[in-house]
Amino acid sequence: AVHLVESGGDSVQAGAALKLSCVASGNIWPGACWGWFRQVPGKEREGVAVIHDDTARISYADSAKARFTISADMAKNTIYLEMLSLTPEDTAMYICASGSGSSGYCRLDSLDFGYWGQGTQVTVSS
């Protein structure tokens, strides 16, 4: 199993930046997919950004392109999500996930991820 612990969420004003971290532990093997998803109560979980830790292929949701950057430091077993120019629409619980990366490519699909953290709350006020 893989255990994921997120941190870095905060309440900020619109236009601010935040950097989320996700520390992984447990049965970690090279060639996995790592992702950030977000969820608002009453809405479906949304994939924000995913990265393959071997091929480094990255995908972003349209809402995250040009503002968010996902990265992985597997020497530290840590995945990051740097978020710029935050808007109230970015308010959500941000959840880190891990899944199989056998294809070398990760999709923004929660069904591809089997391990999930508890999440870290990001609240953006106008």
Side-chain angles (χ1 to χ4, degrees), residues 8-108:
D10 204 351
S11 295
V12 297
Q13 294 287 320
L18 281 175
K19 187 172 184 177
L20 307 182
S21 299
C22 170
V23 178
S25 60
N27 197 17
I28 300 168
W29 295 94
C33 283
W34 305 89
W36 285 97
F37 291 75
R38 64 187 183 186
Q39 188 152 29
V40 176
K43 291 191 176 181
E44 217 169 289
R45 186 170 292 185
E46 175 191 16
V48 175
V50 293
I51 183 169
H52 192 278
D53 67 14
D54 187 23
T55 65
R57 293 180 70 177
I58 290 173
S59 292
Y60 291 103
D62 287 344
S63 58
K65 287 176 183 174
R67 297 189 303 126
F68 293 3
T69 302
I70 188 171
S71 60
D73 182 349
M74 298 318 295
K76 297 180 179 179
N77 286 339
T78 303
I79 300 85
Y80 303 97
L81 183 68
E82 186 165 14
M83 306 185 292
L84 305 176
S85 302
L86 287 163
T87 72
E89 289 69 36
D90 295 316
T91 295
M93 181 71 76
Y94 283 73
I95 307 164
C96 178
S98 174
S100 171
S102 58
S103 67
Y105 172 74
C106 307
R107 301 187 304 166
L108 287 163

